[in-house]
Amino acid sequence: MALAASACGGGEGADTGPAALTYWASNQGTSLDNDRQVLEPELKRFEQQTGIKVKLEVVPWSDLLNRILTATTSGQGPDVLNIGNTWSASLQATGALLPFDASALEKTGGKDRFLPSALASTGAAGKDPAALPLYSMAYGLYWNKKLFAEAGIDHPPTTWEELIADGHRLTAGDRHGLALEGGSPTEDVHHAFTLAKQQGADFFDATGKPTFDGPGTVAAVKRYVGLLGTDRIAAPGNAEYANNQSVTDFATGKAAMLMWQSAGANLASHGMKPEDYAVAPLPAPAGATGDRATASMAAGINLAVLRSSHNTDGALKFVTFMTGTDEQIRLNRAYGSIPPVKDAQNDPAFATPELKTLSDVLRTSAAPLPQVPDESQFETLVGTAVKNLMGAAAAGKPPTDDTVRAELAKAQQQMPAH
């Protein structure tokens, strides 16, 4: 879909000019309307400070990547846009994003303001960042205090063996020990990545060549799918979950544990109170250090500027505003996410037990997904492979080394050739 661009601006609409910007925001809130309610007062604040009017469009996640890819090829799109941080290297490779070189970084306050794990998800290593972090998130293990107490368990599991053992004790009748979003390729690839790091494995080698079917990645995917297909601590129906149903099951007591990123606001929408649950890092191998202690992929949203913008100075002012400490506090507080700007994390709003745990994970044990040009294809192909294995497991075919290796090899064969 080509977007009409005026002669004097890089975005949509006739009112775009030197004193105007267009901004595509991703859907972070409970609805597109909720996002507009959060963002419009902040955009008005920016206009009052700079005289620059911002035309906002909130784009659903289901459309966002395709809209961005069309904009990068046509040269007709917004001035500033949100991107999933895992897309950074793929979009960087198109050449359509303005690099944050030393001059641009200086205008926006410098890279030292950001958490290293968040900044590591802004493009390929050794290159100038293609975007700057806006919202950060990390995965945690949410556990139901009441159900754990009833099962005689007084602390969350720290290893996968403990999680499986606890899961069996917590599974009874229609309730299961763990809820999974097995029908979501995105959730599946995130967990496959984390478990692969714990195996000392990566999905790409040092040259950027895919290594999807190596022994470490096979073991990681087998363990993850096995939570449903072999250990049976997750319900077979979880293999079809792709719209946050696992969060609903946890909030309503149908599951005792949940692996999710920044779930607090979603749980509250289902009536679950913060005192009903606690959050711990995802399990890791006993005594693990370094990459083998990885507890989450470094999740988050980045803010990018298109090279096609005719108001680059205004766009950089907007990025500076959105990543400023005060604005980081307001925005991340509204969305229940973690500020990637260090100074903003000192605000009391981020001192809740949930966010303190997730902030610690993000700071100490989160790793960026592969920052390679074909990253978006990797997410789609490996995520779909794991989803297929989940479906087979739900149908009574638990994962084996051979079935997992075959599915991952098939995904690798579909990667672009270079």
Side-chain angles (χ1 to χ4, degrees):
M1 175 174 133
L3 304 175
S6 65
C8 60
E12 314 169 10
D15 63 342
T16 304
L21 294 170
T22 53
Y23 173 42
W24 285 358
S26 53
N27 178 202
Q28 300 301 127
T30 57
S31 67
L32 303 186
D33 283 340
N34 173 244
D35 282 304
R36 284 187 281 268
Q37 291 167 8
V38 169
L39 293 172
E40 284 174 352
E42 307 311 316
L43 303 186
K44 178 60 70 173
R45 193 189 309 271
F46 175 72
E47 183 181 357
Q48 290 169 346
Q49 290 182 14
T50 64
I52 301 173
K53 183 177 181 180
V54 180
K55 182 180 179 183
L56 170 69
E57 181 179 356
V58 183
V59 184
W61 280 105
S62 56
D63 299 335
L64 185 59
L65 183 57
N66 286 336
R67 291 279 301 275
I68 293 172
L69 291 173
T70 299
T72 61
T73 55
S74 69
Q76 299 178 350
D79 297 282
V80 185
L81 68 162
N82 286 8
I83 64 173
N85 69 350
T86 64
W87 304 338
S88 295
S90 295
L91 295 175
Q92 181 184 52
T94 69
L97 302 185
L98 182 77
F100 282 84
D101 57 17
S103 174
L105 281 171
E106 184 180 356
K107 290 179 181 178
T108 55
K111 67 179 182 180
D112 291 340
R113 300 175 57 243
F114 298 95
L115 290 174
S117 60
L119 203 62
S121 298
T122 57
K127 294 188 177 182
D128 292 324
L132 291 182
L134 180 63
Y135 312 120
S136 287
M137 288 157 274
Y139 278 91
L141 179 70
Y142 290 72
W143 54 284
N144 185 306
K145 293 181 180 179
K146 179 182 177 182
L147 296 180
F148 266 62
E150 290 175 352
I153 307 170
D154 60 6
H155 64 275
T158 60
T159 67
W160 292 102
E161 291 76 15
E162 288 181 0
L163 181 138
I164 292 165
D166 289 349
H168 285 141
R169 292 172 65 177
L170 292 158
T171 298
D174 293 334
R175 188 188 71 215
H176 283 77
L178 178 68
L180 297 174
E181 202 80 1
S184 166
T186 300
E187 290 295 309
D188 289 338
V189 75
H190 289 174
H191 293 306
F193 168 79
T194 297
L195 283 163
K197 297 295 281 188
Q198 294 182 2
Q199 293 283 337
D202 281 298
F203 283 92
F204 293 86
D205 66 18
T207 69
K209 179 182 177 182
T211 54
F212 295 175
D213 58 350
T217 53
V218 168
V221 171
K222 182 182 176 185
R223 165 158 278 176
Y224 173 61
V225 177
L227 297 171
L228 183 151
T230 306
D231 307 308
R232 300 184 179 181
I233 60 172
N238 286 188
E240 298 181 1
Y241 281 7
N243 293 295
N244 297 357
Q245 296 101 316
S246 59
V247 181
T248 304
D249 280 3
F250 178 76
T252 55
K254 292 181 179 179
M257 292 182 284
L258 171 73
M259 301 188 298
W260 206 260
Q261 47 178 293
S262 305
N266 202 334
L267 296 174
S269 72
H270 292 289
M272 195 176 198
K273 299 177 182 178
E275 57 266 29
D276 295 335
Y277 63 87
V279 187
L282 291 188
T289 59
D291 278 354
R292 289 182 181 269
T294 299
S296 176
M297 50 82 69
I301 310 301
N302 291 344
L303 200 59
V305 176
L306 284 179
R307 284 184 188 268
S308 56
S309 171
H310 289 263
N311 191 3
T312 301
D313 286 344
L316 290 175
K317 288 180 181 177
F318 183 63
V319 172
T320 303
F321 170 80
M322 293 289 276
T323 60
T325 300
D326 290 344
E327 197 60 28
Q328 280 284 289
I329 292 170
R330 280 191 287 267
L331 290 171
N332 284 279
R333 185 169 54 199
Y335 287 129
S337 47
I338 302 165
V341 170
K342 298 173 188 176
D343 289 346
Q345 288 196 5
N346 296 326
D347 188 85
F350 309 107
T352 65
E354 176 195 15
L355 291 182
K356 284 180 67 177
T357 297
L358 298 180
S359 294
D360 286 344
V361 169
L362 193 64
R363 186 175 64 254
T364 65
S365 55
L369 260 67
Q371 295 294 301
V372 295
D374 294 328
E375 196 285 331
S376 59
Q377 293 94 327
F378 150 72
E379 281 198 64
T380 299
L381 292 170
V382 171
T384 300
V386 180
K387 174 187 172 183
N388 292 341
L389 289 163
M390 280 284 187
K397 298 177 181 178
T400 66
D401 287 348
D402 289 342
T403 58
V404 172
R405 187 178 298 108
E407 197 69 37
L408 292 175
K410 184 169 65 176
Q412 182 170 312
Q413 290 170 2
Q414 298 176 65
M415 285 288 287
H418 295 288

